[in-house]
Amino acid sequence: MVDRYYIYEQRKILNEVANDIRSVSENDFASNLKRIEEEHTVTIVYSEVSSNLDQLNDSIRSEFETKKLKLNKFWITENTLNTLQNNSVNKIYDQGVTKYKVLTKFIKIDDYIIAIALPLPHMEETVLIINRFNMVLMTFSVLLIIFLVLILSNKITRPLESLKGLSQDIASLKFRREEINTNDEVGDLAKSINSMSEKLEKAHNEVSLQNKRLRDLMSDVSHELKTPLSIVKVYEQGIVDGLDDGTYREVIEEQIEKMDLLIGKLLFWTELENSSLNKCDFDIGSRIIDITGKYTLILQENCIDLSLNIEDKDYIIRADQEGIDVVLDNLVTNAIKYTNDKCIEITLTKDTNGVNLTIANGVGEIDEGDLESIWRPFYVLEKSRSKELSGTGLGLPIIKTILDNHKLDYGFKLKNNRLTFFVTFV
C-alpha cells in the first residue's frame, strides 16, 4: 500500500510537468524544458517520431544517458505510439540489480515524443522496514494504551469503590466522611454524600435523643402515676374491707385530682409543641405585678420576703401573652417552692438587647451538675416543697418549650447558694 501510494503521488508530479510542457511556447522550448526540470527535479528528453522503434528507443535512451540517467531496461512499443495519438502514457521501468525504478511519462506534441523520467527507489525493503517499525510502534502503543487505561480506570474506580464503602457504612448507621478530591463529577458526588452523611448523622442523633427523652418521659410518667394509683388501690381495698374511718374517700379523691392535674399538664405540654404563637404588645412589668399578687397570702403564711425591682416605666414586649403568663407563673411558684432563705428577688431592666427579667432565690448547697437536669420532666432539686404549691414536676419543661417557641435567650446561674433564672425579651 505504501509503494502504491508513493507512485500515485509521483504520477501527480509528472502530470503537473506534462501540463507545464504543453503550455510552453515553441520559440523558447529548450530553455523552458530546462526550467521545468529544475523546478520539479525530473529528467526531460525528447525525440522526433520515427517509424523505426529501435532507432527511437536508442535516441531517447541516449538522451537520458546524456543527462546521466542510465537505463538498463527501456523500450517504447508500437502500442505506446498508438496510444500517444490521443493520450499520455505512464510506464515504470524496473532497472533490476541497480535496485531502482524509473517512472516515465510519455506525451506527444506535434512530431515529437517527450519523455519525463522520475527515478524511484525500490520500495520493498523500505516498506518492509516501515512495516516492522509500525509493528513495533503499534505493539508499544497498545501496551501504552492498556497501561494508561489501567491507570485511568483505577483512578475512576478507586473513588467509586470508596463511595460504595461509604454508602454501605451509612446504610449501617456508621456515619463518616470520605475525602475524595478529583475535581470532577465523582468529587461532586463525594461532597454530596459527605454532606448527606453529616445531615443523616445529625438527624439520627436527634431521633435517638428524642427516643431517649421519650423513654425517660414514659418512665417518669409511669412512676408519677404509679404512686397515686397504688394509694387509690390500697384505700379502695380498705373501703371494701370496712376499714374506712371516713377519710378514705377524701384520700382517693385527692390522689385522683393529682393524676388529673398531671394528665392535664402533660396534655398542655404536648399542645405547646405544635401550637402557634399569638403575639401582641403588652407590658410585662404589669403582668409580673398581677401574677405575684395572687401569691400574697402564701408568701405571708410562709414568711417569704418578695422584692420587686421594677421601675415606674413601661416594659413593652411583643410575645404570646398567654404563654408568657404561664412562664411567669411557673417561675414565681418554683421560687416559692424551693427558696430556703425566705427571700425572692424579681428584677426587670431594659437595655439595647431588650427587656431583661431575673428571678433569684436561695437554694442552699446544690451540686452544679444537678442543675443540668432541671429542664427534665419530673426532676426536682429537693423533696421539701410548699404543700400549697405542690406540682407535677412539669413546670420547667413547660417554661423551656414556651421560651424555645419564642426563640428567646434564657438560662440560670448559681452563685453564693442563690439560683437566678434569667430571660431576655427582644
Side-chain angles (χ1 to χ4, degrees), residues 27-91:
N27 298 330
D28 199 12
F29 189 74
S31 61
N32 280 322
L33 288 183
K34 186 176 181 180
R35 175 184 59 79
I36 294 172
E37 278 185 320
E38 292 175 352
E39 287 180 359
H40 296 280
T41 317
V42 295
T43 302
I44 304 174
V45 298
Y46 62 93
S47 177
E48 189 174 359
V49 177
S50 172
S51 59
N52 189 331
L53 287 177
D54 292 336
Q55 184 178 353
L56 179 61
N57 282 321
D58 289 340
S59 175
I60 293 179
R61 186 185 292 110
S62 176
E63 288 292 330
F64 276 131
E65 289 179 356
T66 302
K67 293 190 176 184
K68 298 181 180 180
L69 181 59
K70 184 175 180 59
L71 300 176
N72 297 326
K73 296 180 180 181
F74 181 84
W75 59 91
I76 299 176
T77 64
E78 188 69 31
N79 185 48
T80 301
L81 290 176
N82 292 333
T83 305
L84 286 174
Q85 297 301 325
N86 300 311
N87 298 301
S88 61
V89 177
N90 294 314
K91 285 187 173 294

Side-chain angles (χ1 to χ4, degrees), residues 279-290:
K279 290 186 177 182
C280 63
D281 295 332
F282 61 93
D283 187 349
I284 191 174
S286 62
R287 297 307 306 148
I288 293 174
I289 293 173
D290 291 343

Side-chain angles (χ1 to χ4, degrees), residues 358-412:
T358 62
I359 299 179
N361 62 275
V363 290
E365 295 292 336
I366 295 178
D367 187 353
E368 291 192 13
D370 293 339
L371 293 178
E372 299 297 329
S373 302
I374 65 173
W375 303 112
R376 183 165 61 84
F378 308 110
Y379 180 82
V380 292
L381 290 176
E382 57 179 287
K383 296 299 180 181
S384 58
R385 298 182 179 181
S386 171
K387 292 182 180 180
E388 293 84 350
L389 294 173
S390 178
T392 61
L394 293 174
L396 289 179
I398 290 175
I399 291 174
K400 183 179 187 302
T401 301
I402 295 173
L403 296 180
D404 284 340
N405 289 343
H406 281 79
K407 296 181 173 56
L408 298 176
D409 180 32
Y410 64 93
F412 55 85

Side-chain angles (χ1 to χ4, degrees), residues 124-379:
E124 286 78 4
E125 294 183 1
T126 304
V127 170
L128 183 60
I129 294 172
I130 292 174
N131 287 338
R132 288 177 180 174
F133 176 76
N134 286 338
M135 287 298 295
V136 174
L137 182 61
M138 186 179 297
T139 302
F140 176 76
S141 298
V142 170
L143 293 175
L144 180 61
I145 290 172
I146 293 174
F147 177 72
L148 292 176
V149 167
L150 289 175
I151 292 178
L152 291 175
S153 62
N154 185 52
K155 184 178 180 181
I156 294 173
T157 57
R158 185 185 299 172
L160 293 177
E161 287 293 330
S162 299
L163 290 179
K164 178 182 177 182
L166 176 60
S167 301
Q168 291 174 343
D169 287 344
I170 292 175
S172 302
L173 302 181
K174 298 176 182 177
F175 303 102
R176 61 180 181 85
R177 292 178 56 86
E178 190 71 50
E179 296 300 330
I180 298 176
N181 301 312
T182 57
N183 296 321
D184 56 11
E185 289 79 2
V186 177
D188 294 338
L189 177 61
K191 292 179 181 178
S192 299
I193 294 179
N194 286 334
S195 176
M196 179 185 69
S197 177
E198 292 176 357
K199 292 178 180 179
L200 286 176
E201 182 179 18
K202 183 179 179 181
H204 176 71
N205 291 338
E206 289 179 356
V207 170
S208 298
L209 181 59
Q210 291 296 333
N211 288 337
K212 182 179 182 302
R213 288 175 177 172
L214 180 59
R215 289 193 300 269
D216 292 342
L217 177 61
M218 294 301 295
S219 175
D220 291 338
V221 170
S222 299
H223 177 74
E224 291 293 322
L225 290 176
K226 184 177 181 180
T227 300
L229 283 174
S230 298
I231 295 174
V232 169
K233 184 178 180 180
V234 170
Y235 277 82
E236 184 271 339
Q237 186 63 43
I239 294 175
V240 172
D241 294 339
L243 302 176
D244 186 7
D245 61 356
T247 62
Y248 284 18
R249 183 174 179 177
E250 294 179 2
V251 173
I252 291 175
E253 290 177 349
E254 180 183 351
Q255 297 304 316
I256 291 175
E257 185 178 346
K258 285 184 179 180
M259 288 188 289
D260 184 62
L261 177 63
L262 173 61
I263 294 172
K265 283 291 185 71
L266 283 171
L267 291 175
F268 176 72
W269 185 29
T270 303
E271 291 174 358
L272 287 176
E273 295 288 342
N274 301 313
S275 63
S276 59
L277 299 178
N278 184 21
K279 290 186 177 182
C280 63
D281 295 332
F282 61 93
D283 187 349
I284 191 174
S286 62
R287 297 307 306 148
I288 293 174
I289 293 173
D290 291 343
I291 289 172
T292 54
K294 297 188 304 180
Y295 298 100
T296 301
L297 292 178
I298 294 176
L299 292 171
Q300 292 175 352
E301 290 176 359
N302 291 274
C303 301
I304 298 175
D305 180 27
L306 174 63
S307 174
L308 290 178
N309 300 315
I310 302 176
E311 296 181 5
D312 187 16
K313 60 181 178 180
D314 294 335
Y315 292 95
I316 304 298
I317 64 170
R318 184 169 185 79
D320 185 290
Q321 182 173 338
E322 184 178 351
I324 297 303
D325 282 350
V326 173
V327 170
L328 296 176
D329 189 75
N330 278 300
L331 287 176
V332 171
T333 55
N334 276 340
I336 296 173
K337 290 176 190 177
Y338 297 110
T339 181
N340 71 336
D341 60 358
K342 305 297 182 178
C343 180
I344 300 173
E345 185 176 6
I346 300 177
T347 304
L348 269 181
T349 59
K350 185 185 295 185
D351 56 24
T352 55
N353 295 324
V355 177
N356 303 301
L357 167 67
T358 62
I359 299 179
N361 62 275
V363 290
E365 295 292 336
I366 295 178
D367 187 353
E368 291 192 13
D370 293 339
L371 293 178
E372 299 297 329
S373 302
I374 65 173
W375 303 112
R376 183 165 61 84
F378 308 110
Y379 180 82

